[in-house]
Amino acid sequence: MIMKRADDIKRFFKKAEVGTNIDADEKILNQLLQAHKQISEHRHIEPEPNIWRIIMKSKITKLAAAATIVIAAVIGITFIEQSVPTAYAQVLQDAIDAVSDIWSVHMNARMRTLPSDNFSLIGLDYDFVPIEMWKQTDENGLVRWRVEKPGRVLLMDGQSTTMLIRPNHGVIKEETWPLGCFDSWMGRLLNVSELLDSEMQNAKDNPDRQIHIQHTDIEGRDKIVLEVDVTTDVAENDYLRNQFISDSDHLKVYRFDTETNLLESFQVFVYTKDNDVLVFEVTDIEYNTEIPGSVFALDLPEDMIWHTEPQILPDNEKYENMTPKEVAAALFQACAEENWDEVLKFWGASSIDEQIKEYLGGLEIISIGEPFKSGGYRGWFIPYEIRIPSQKFNLRLSKTNAAGRLVITGMCDSKLRLLREMKWSNEPEVLPDNDTYAKMSPDEAVKAFNEAFSRQDWDEMRKFAPDSFVEELKHDFEEWTKRGQPKEEQPFCEVIGKSVWSEENSAYFVRCRVPGGVKKHNLAIRNDNEAHRWQFDGGI
């Protein structure tokens, strides 16, 4: 049917340097059959990280056996009494059959991350954020996919690849980029037919990597759990340590159903000194279901701001020769002077967003620190301390929920243009004292939310705002505290005007202001572009 994988599987074996030498086959299969015998004695062990392991001591044996173990995990170890060459052929055929008819995949997952930040960003103390992913191949072989979390969407529609960072920032490439692009590593899970190939190649590239396998019984069905231990090269005290999965020591746990040979679940645990932290898990997978065409389309706002590659300037050499510290100083000075044309030389965008102008315009530079390298990042990090001006915006509130109380559903600019959608993953609950909250005016609701923030009463804040937004504020507060930022310098919000009702939006809007405060962070810049100019890459 669609996505026939015979050639890919054959290429996999060729790439893995697994030949058809009968002596080699017999040796590997004997090892696997012995492992299978051991596994059968442990069929009723509940799956959890590192309970039972097959660890080969010899690197050569370990490499060959690891490859065979991965294959066995995907196809369910369905050996029968027959000759070695015939069994080996059956292994290959089962592997081909298991992936040949998958034409659509839909996954729901959750990850400890921030809703609008980089797809790969993690925080061991972050709350979980929902992630949803789709992939479909139509009858003509056209492949389309989508990876989404609340503040960021990545879409490949068969002709182009677009990333939208809500509300109106984006990147577009007029070509079909692969799953995993733009740091969306979790999207590769949609390539269920290539997980075998991927883990095999990883085992080959990293002979010391430990791969473990076990059978288990879950609700009367036989499952195979494949565990892969990964050790990072990033030092314990490195700035980027545990900020991305690739920069952490972690465990990947795959679970396959032995009847269908398909992936059922996937988890990632980050190892720490104290415990193992679950940072990512697939909670539901659907195969071969119809996906509406609307999933593979994006409704983009008219005022989109697009990422652009830096062009060579008449005075390009001046910017090429800047040191990272000089770049940070020049960028912030341009913001202080509200010289947005100069800012664009460092920004890599079609224009500077009005929200950015309001946020950074007129800032005061307090200090610029010494640049440093971290992890595998190809650029530099520069510590900085700035004082930003007060920020004005509108909070949107609505009471169209079962609880009948006002809750925050968005953040808008002075012209009521949506800056950020705040979706509630669960409907606002009816509280024990719900009447008290239902009687609040829009102004009172926002003031109560702000007062809860000033006390760091996160549970109270969740009565007015979605979990994801509260978690972001909690993270910000913890970062301010880590940096020793005095409480009086932390940007607490205040109501500065009476609420207004918008018939067009069917919502109330409350005018708010965050007083100016000190911001301490690390600016990320890189110059791996054709113009060789330093470009802002994060940290503001």
Side-chain angles (χ1 to χ4, degrees):
M1 195 179 166
I2 302 169
M3 292 177 66
K4 295 294 184 182
R5 296 286 294 159
D7 291 341
D8 289 343
I9 296 293
K10 290 172 184 174
R11 188 178 67 254
F12 154 68
F13 281 102
K14 181 179 179 182
K15 190 187 303 182
E17 296 178 0
V18 179
T20 57
N21 180 284
I22 293 178
D23 291 337
D25 291 346
E26 185 171 7
K27 181 178 179 181
I28 293 173
L29 285 169
N30 283 339
Q31 293 168 353
L32 182 57
L33 288 169
Q34 181 62 34
H36 183 219
K37 180 181 178 183
Q38 295 173 8
I39 292 169
S40 299
E41 297 169 359
H42 294 75
R43 281 179 178 269
H44 298 287
I45 300 176
E46 288 301 316
E48 60 183 52
N50 299 313
I51 17 187
W52 187 83
R53 301 184 172 195
I54 297 176
I55 304 174
M56 302 301 174
K57 301 300 183 184
S58 161
K59 284 191 176 181
I60 296 175
T61 304
K62 185 176 178 181
L63 179 55
T68 311
I69 288 168
V70 176
I71 298 167
V74 176
I75 63 164
I77 315 185
T78 54
F79 287 105
I80 57 176
E81 294 294 330
Q82 52 190 308
S83 68
V84 170
T86 306
Y88 190 74
Q90 185 63 47
V91 169
L92 175 57
Q93 188 58 54
D94 285 351
I96 294 170
D97 292 344
V99 298
S100 61
D101 292 326
I102 302 302
W103 53 271
S104 80
V105 185
H106 176 211
M107 291 187 182
N108 283 292
R110 60 180 192 152
M111 182 174 177
R112 294 188 187 275
T113 187
L114 297 178
S116 298
D117 215 306
N118 191 299
F119 276 111
S120 291
L121 177 75
I122 61 169
L124 303 189
D125 56 350
Y126 290 173
D127 196 7
F128 282 103
V129 167
I131 293 175
E132 196 165 6
M133 302 182 285
W134 302 261
K135 180 184 176 184
Q136 179 174 281
T137 306
D138 68 15
E139 62 275 8
N140 298 315
L142 180 70
V143 178
R144 298 182 293 176
W145 54 261
R146 177 173 179 146
V147 178
E148 179 171 5
K149 63 178 183 175
R152 190 172 286 229
V153 184
L154 183 55
L155 174 72
M156 197 282 285
D157 62 6
Q159 282 82 39
S160 61
T161 309
T162 306
M163 180 167 66
L164 170 64
I165 304 171
R166 292 191 169 102
N168 65 334
H169 287 75
V171 184
I172 188 166
K173 299 293 181 181
E174 297 298 335
E175 51 193 31
T176 57
W177 281 30
L179 281 160
C181 64
F182 296 110
D183 288 333
S184 63
W185 66 269
M186 70 286 295
R188 296 192 187 103
L189 293 171
L190 294 170
N191 287 333
V192 289
S193 57
E194 296 174 11
L195 291 178
L196 165 66
D197 203 349
S198 175
E199 287 300 347
M200 173 56 217
Q201 188 61 46
N202 284 334
K204 182 180 176 184
D205 294 341
N206 303 278
D208 290 331
R209 180 169 292 180
Q210 294 182 356
I211 298 180
H212 326 297
I213 186 172
Q214 67 181 27
H215 262 282
T216 189
D217 187 287
I218 299 178
E219 297 180 352
R221 290 179 68 92
D222 188 32
K223 311 293 180 183
I224 288 179
V225 177
L226 174 68
E227 299 181 355
V228 183
D229 273 310
V230 182
T231 302
T232 183
D233 294 330
V234 177
E236 285 280 355
N237 61 350
D238 195 284
Y239 173 64
L240 288 180
R241 176 81 177 198
N242 293 342
Q243 291 197 38
F244 300 90
I245 289 176
S246 59
D247 295 329
S248 68
D249 293 340
H250 62 275
L251 173 71
K252 295 185 290 184
V253 183
Y254 299 86
R255 191 178 79 204
F256 299 88
D257 183 274
T258 54
E259 278 192 27
T260 64
N261 303 320
L262 294 174
L263 179 72
E264 283 195 338
S265 69
F266 175 74
Q267 295 175 310
V268 179
F269 295 83
V270 169
Y271 295 130
T272 70
K273 293 179 180 178
D274 300 323
N275 57 354
D276 301 340
V277 180
L278 176 66
V279 296
F280 180 88
E281 71 172 337
V282 174
T283 56
D284 183 63
I285 307 178
E286 295 178 303
Y287 294 104
N288 292 350
T289 58
E290 290 292 338
I291 300 175
S294 58
V295 168
F296 302 111
L298 272 178
D299 185 15
L300 299 172
E302 294 181 1
D303 59 344
M304 279 295 295
I305 294 176
W306 295 104
H307 168 79
T308 59
E309 289 296 323
Q311 304 298 308
I312 296 177
L313 303 172
D315 56 348
N316 201 73
E317 188 175 353
K318 166 189 170 183
Y319 297 91
E320 281 187 78
N321 293 332
M322 282 184 173
T323 65
K325 189 172 183 177
E326 289 171 340
V327 170
L331 172 59
F332 286 130
Q333 186 59 41
C335 292
E337 297 170 356
E338 301 187 53
N339 184 350
W340 305 117
D341 288 337
E342 185 69 10
V343 171
L344 274 174
K345 295 175 182 177
F346 303 98
W347 206 259
S350 56
S351 62
I352 302 297
D353 186 270
E354 291 301 317
Q355 186 183 10
I356 297 295
K357 291 180 180 179
E358 289 185 13
Y359 180 58
L360 297 178
L363 64 80
E364 175 192 344
I365 301 173
I366 298 174
S367 66
I368 305 290
E370 293 303 316
F372 65 92
K373 289 276 193 178
S374 180
Y377 183 62
R378 289 176 288 179
W380 288 84
F381 292 97
I382 306 99
Y384 68 85
E385 187 173 354
I386 59 175
R387 186 179 300 278
I388 56 176
S390 62
Q391 311 292 308
K392 297 178 182 179
F393 57 92
N394 286 282
L395 285 178
R396 185 184 68 187
L397 292 92
S398 171
K399 62 189 320 178
T400 56
N401 54 73
R405 53 191 173 84
L406 286 162
V407 295
I408 300 170
T409 61
M411 185 182 295
C412 302
D413 63 14
S414 57
K415 297 179 181 178
L416 304 188
R417 294 177 302 186
L418 186 65
L419 296 173
R420 175 173 175 180
E421 185 79 39
M422 295 188 195
K423 292 184 178 180
W424 288 70
S425 54
N426 297 309
E427 185 79 4
E429 63 180 335
V430 177
L431 304 171
D433 53 347
N434 199 72
D435 286 347
T436 301
Y437 293 89
K439 292 176 182 177
M440 287 184 175
S441 68
D443 298 345
E444 290 171 337
V446 174
K447 287 178 181 178
F449 175 77
N450 292 339
E451 289 169 2
F453 183 41
S454 68
R455 313 190 294 271
Q456 290 83 60
D457 188 343
W458 313 115
D459 289 335
E460 182 69 11
M461 291 169 67
R462 288 186 175 90
K463 297 175 183 178
F464 300 96
D467 286 349
S468 58
F469 183 54
V470 174
E471 283 303 315
E472 279 192 54
L473 293 176
K474 183 179 179 182
H475 169 70
D476 288 343
F477 176 79
E478 289 168 351
E479 286 298 309
W480 299 329
T481 303
K482 285 179 187 175
R483 297 176 192 136
Q485 208 162 330
K487 186 173 181 179
E488 60 271 16
E489 291 186 0
Q490 296 176 6
F492 295 109
C493 179
E494 60 179 335
V495 175
I496 60 172
K498 292 290 184 181
S499 62
V500 296
W501 167 259
S502 168
E503 197 69 43
E504 179 183 355
N505 295 280
S506 300
Y508 290 97
F509 291 87
V510 178
R511 186 73 168 160
C512 299
R513 177 180 64 196
V514 175
V518 175
K519 181 177 180 68
K520 300 178 183 179
H521 204 23
N522 296 305
L523 184 73
I525 62 171
R526 57 197 297 174
N527 66 347
D528 50 349
N529 55 75
E530 292 185 1
H532 302 295
R533 292 208 323 274
W534 294 102
Q535 297 290 286
F536 161 70
D537 199 32
I540 294 180

